Amino acid sequence: MSNLTACQTIAQWVAEFDLDHVPVAARTAAMQSWVDVLGCMMGGQIIDAVGKVRTLALNEYGAGPCRIAGMDHTTSATGAALTNGAAAHALDYDDTSYAGVVHASATIAAAVLAASDHADTDGRTVFTAFIAGSEAEYAFGRAASNQIFMDGWWTTSVFGGLGAAAGASKALGLNTEQTALAIAHALCRASGLRIANGTEAKFVGNGQVAALGITSAQFAEAGISAPLDALEGVNGMAHLIKRSPLELSQLDDLGKHWSILDPGVYLKPYPSCSASHAAAEATVELLHENDLGPDDISAIEVDAPQIVIDSLVYDVPNRVPQGQFSLPFILACVIMDRGFTVARAGPDALADSAVRAFMPKISMHHDPDLTAKSEAGEIGPECARVRIRTVGGSTIERFNSEAVGAPKKPMSDVQVDNKFHELATAAGHAGRADAWLQRIRNIANLQRCRDLWQD
């Protein structure tokens, strides 16, 4: 580290950052995340709890210049960030990264879109801010390591305020000093508990941290003071994280090391916790290859590393968000549908009697060898070995290190676009999807960010 504080180091890079500084590979990866998360933001508006957040935001903040994604409603920057942040994560379909184990895109996109609408910027500004905020958050996550997540903190919120504040500051055109203040304000509010998994508090919390990015930038713009040593100072983040000290020197790598490429970002093929995806994909492949249906299967056993066990904690879900963290529910749906789609995140998802009847046939077991190999980076962190036992007495199995969408098995443009269309259709916007998708992919050439969701 230089003689600058960590907040100042990040702020200097963010304030000076330009889209032309981004290598082609990193810019391509960022575009995939951008398309993916805006699809999730639009599609997530169908979730009942998001509708409640939207109503609360409109009542609290009133009309304003900032668009709620895929809707005709506009509100203030804070209200839009809150609503769009909740929607982006509501289906648990948005991307994730092992640079801190975070859903950064859902947080950053909501913050920078709101800030850009508020400031009436062009599309290049919002996309630049999206990359800057994301890389700032990922650098923070890498500096802190994934142990914080393993300790029970919801790192999307713990790290996300910094990223949202950095991105919002960039979108608002704040200078280095103001950006450092914004980051410091956000860090002073850092929080997030992983116990929220399986409840609506999880995705609503993402909206709250996106809104925190907006208010932090506005506080800084107004000149409200904050501790610029909020990371390394006495009682700062580095001193409070006992088990995993922050390696702040990694912040000096901003613009040299691109976290969106290494460790990369995982785009999800299924609307559920990413810990379920390797098992779900392996199950789909075994069903197709062996022409199996529900009546052909007596049991499914899944061996998994510890992080998968810790993530998929609901064996018998009793509310829809729990289903997204329940391997028995997800695989039972896969058996019935040969896939896991947005329809299984709807209000009646848990009422399917055939799915409920099949769930007891599915079990998950910790495999210490998979844990050791995944922690050593030899295999995917959320890998799975799936064994299907048939009613005829045979056993078939498959090990899957990573599902499609992982950095080493990236989705193609076609797959990302198809996912966007799936979400648009689910949200009742099939007829608008092509126009919206074209604008989203060409965001750097859009004259006004406010035109993004126009008909």
Side-chain angles (χ1 to χ4, degrees), residues 90-112:
L91 294 166
D92 222 300
Y93 213 176
D94 53 301
D95 68 30
T96 186
S97 175
Y98 267 76
V101 194
V102 291
H103 298 274
S105 292
T107 309
I108 309 303
V112 301

Side-chain angles (χ1 to χ4, degrees), residues 171-439:
L172 292 173
L174 302 192
N175 62 30
T176 298
E177 292 74 18
Q178 292 169 319
T179 302
L181 268 182
I183 291 169
H185 273 291
L187 286 168
C188 287
R189 305 279 82 79
S191 64
L193 305 178
R194 196 148 55 89
I195 196 173
N197 285 8
T199 73
E200 292 160 347
K202 181 174 186 278
F203 58 82
V204 170
N206 188 66
Q208 289 177 300
V209 77
L212 172 64
I214 295 291
T215 56
S216 296
Q218 290 173 331
F219 291 161
E221 192 172 28
I224 299 172
S225 68
L228 295 179
D229 59 348
L231 278 177
E232 69 274 33
V234 176
N235 291 327
M237 182 72 75
H239 285 250
L240 296 177
I241 299 171
K242 302 297 185 184
R243 291 186 60 188
S244 180
L246 285 164
E247 298 294 338
L248 296 178
S249 61
Q250 295 199 42
L251 301 178
D252 292 326
D253 289 338
L254 279 165
K256 303 170 189 173
H257 178 106
W258 294 91
S259 297
I260 201 166
L261 298 177
D262 179 22
V265 175
Y266 177 20
L267 273 60
K268 291 184 174 184
Y270 308 109
S272 62
C273 177
S274 60
S276 68
H277 290 188
E281 184 176 87
T283 302
V284 169
E285 291 171 353
L286 289 171
L287 294 177
H288 281 289
E289 292 172 8
N290 297 276
D291 195 25
L292 297 176
D295 295 337
D296 300 315
I297 300 169
S298 61
I300 298 178
E301 300 162 354
V302 178
D303 299 329
Q306 189 62 51
I307 194 169
V308 172
I309 304 294
D310 289 344
S311 298
L312 305 176
V313 295
Y314 296 102
D315 291 335
V316 185
N318 57 35
R319 53 180 179 261
V320 172
Q322 290 181 353
Q324 294 167 310
F325 293 85
S326 170
L327 192 65
F329 173 72
I330 293 164
L331 291 193
C333 292
V334 166
I335 296 300
M336 302 302 159
D337 305 340
R338 295 200 174 190
F340 189 77
T341 67
V342 171
R344 291 298 187 177
D348 300 322
L350 300 183
D352 190 320
S353 59
V355 168
R356 285 289 191 181
F358 199 91
M359 284 169 57
K361 298 181 180 181
I362 300 167
S363 60
M364 180 169 58
H365 313 277
H366 176 230
D367 186 320
D369 184 56
L370 293 183
T371 295
K373 289 181 177 179
S374 64
E375 290 178 349
E378 298 173 18
I379 53 179
E382 295 175 330
C383 59
R385 182 182 298 108
V386 176
R387 284 187 300 278
I388 298 180
R389 302 192 187 278
T390 70
V391 294
S394 62
T395 299
I396 54 176
E397 73 173 55
R398 171 153 300 165
F399 172 75
N400 193 11
S401 179
E402 295 177 297
V404 167
K408 294 180 181 178
K409 295 170 66 175
M411 287 186 183
S412 65
D413 286 356
V414 171
Q415 288 171 312
V416 174
D417 290 354
N418 286 344
K419 179 178 171 179
F420 184 92
H421 278 279
E422 175 201 0
L423 287 159
T425 299
H429 299 308
R432 300 174 174 181
D434 284 334
W436 285 348
L437 183 56
Q438 183 178 15
R439 286 190 208 125

